[in-house]
Amino acid sequence: MAKLTVSDLDLKSKKVLMRVDFNVPIKDGVIGNDNRIVAALPTIQYVIDHGGKAILLSHLGRIKSEDDKPGLSMRPVAERLSNLLNKPVTFVPATEGSQLEDAINKMNDGDVLVMENTRYEDVKNGEQVKRESKNDPALGKYWASLGDLFINDAFGTAHRQHASNVGIASNMPQTAAGFLMEKEIKFIGGAVSHPAHPFVAILGGAKVSDKIGVIDNLLDKADKVIIGGGMTYTFYAAKGMKIGNSLVEKDKIDLAKEIMDKAGDKLVLPIDSVVAEKFDNDAAHKTVDGDIPDGYMALDIGPKSVALFEDVLKDAKLVVWNGPMGVFEMSNYAEGTLEIGKFLGTLSDATTIVGGGDSTAAVQQLGVGDKLTHISTGGGASLEYLEGKTLPGIAAISEK
Ligand code: AMP
């Protein structure tokens, strides 16, 4: 069954509570990158264009003590939102009480209000009570009482059961997905529940241990699983190959063997690597086939691996990519990730999905994102979704 979305709702003159993901990087009140605010604009704009009163809730960072609060106020976010929407946005420096309730009651159709960081509720009178993060039933009920409708557009927190997502939803007759959430459900949810074939997964990044759930789940669903990045060398070790000083998780070598046994020829490993004497962009480096020589560490896949992976990918109808192929943050070791990203951009018959976290950072930094079908906004949430887990934030959205 399909999920209810914002476009199914009658928004006119309604108080519309919206859980958005405004968890932006912020330092001394200055926003480092406003991508997440920009990403929430389509749903907010839709709500106000249809005469709704948009009441926005989001968390920002982690609040463990009263001292954390001033630096993690939502005020600068509300100001940035006002600039981006090109209209006034009311900021209420409270998460409950008469100041908030009065401000909501004064709203006109099409107005936008941002309330204070939902995680301010995690610390009360100096005590860490985690009302938001532990989904205090009274808090979700209270927030739900402030609105007529609830829209959840915060995919990044969908793997968490918090008062501002699951708590509100469980006290509302209906909860709808915003446009961002709808896209994540369609693409990431679709890839794991009813993938098109051939389906190729590309899994990279530093550690096998972080990705084991994803490897396991996608091995069952995909036709091929390509491995790259630092985790390659735990697989190399499991095959008895030399790995030099490359990243390895010794306690995961047996697991890597089990995965290889289960996967057979579904699993595709790099056949060459860019190796360096040190973990340093300026270190002496070269490309080698197979074994990693003593005194070197592998920091990227080599050109033969890129060609091999492209051959596996060329007929794919669906590609899910999670994790870079090398240390893309250093220009000398970014080539493998860049080449794979560029190649995915040429696959016009395939749905190409980037699964969040560092992979999203990689495609953005390397400028290859705009030719891909979907770049997930969630890190932990996309990983858990790809593991096939039910995300509480999504489960709490009503069916149509
Ligand atoms: P993850 O968060 O697991 O997706 O891992 C991303 C990180 O893995 C990035 O910061 C990369 O620099 C790092 N990484 C990728 N390949 C390697 C490698 N061969 N050796 C060490 N780190 C790597």
Side-chain angles (χ1 to χ4, degrees), residues 59 82 84 90 99 125 135 138 161 177 180 199 203 213 216 254 273 285 289-290 306 311 314 323 331 350:
H59 80 277
S82 170
L84 290 167
T90 303
Q99 186 186 8
N125 305 318
N135 189 16
Q161 191 158 337
L180 259 187
F199 171 18
L203 302 174
D216 238 4
D254 284 342
S273 307
H285 57 276
D289 290 344
V306 170
D311 194 51
K314 66 179 190 311
S331 58

Side-chain angles (χ1 to χ4, degrees), residues 204-207 210-211 228-231 233 247 279 298-300 322-329 358-359:
K207 293 182 178 165
D210 292 341
K211 303 284 162 83
M231 68 164 129
Y233 306 97
L247 205 63
F279 190 80
L299 297 178
D300 194 9
N322 186 290
M325 296 291 98
V327 184
F328 71 95
E329 299 93 334
D358 267 313
S359 343

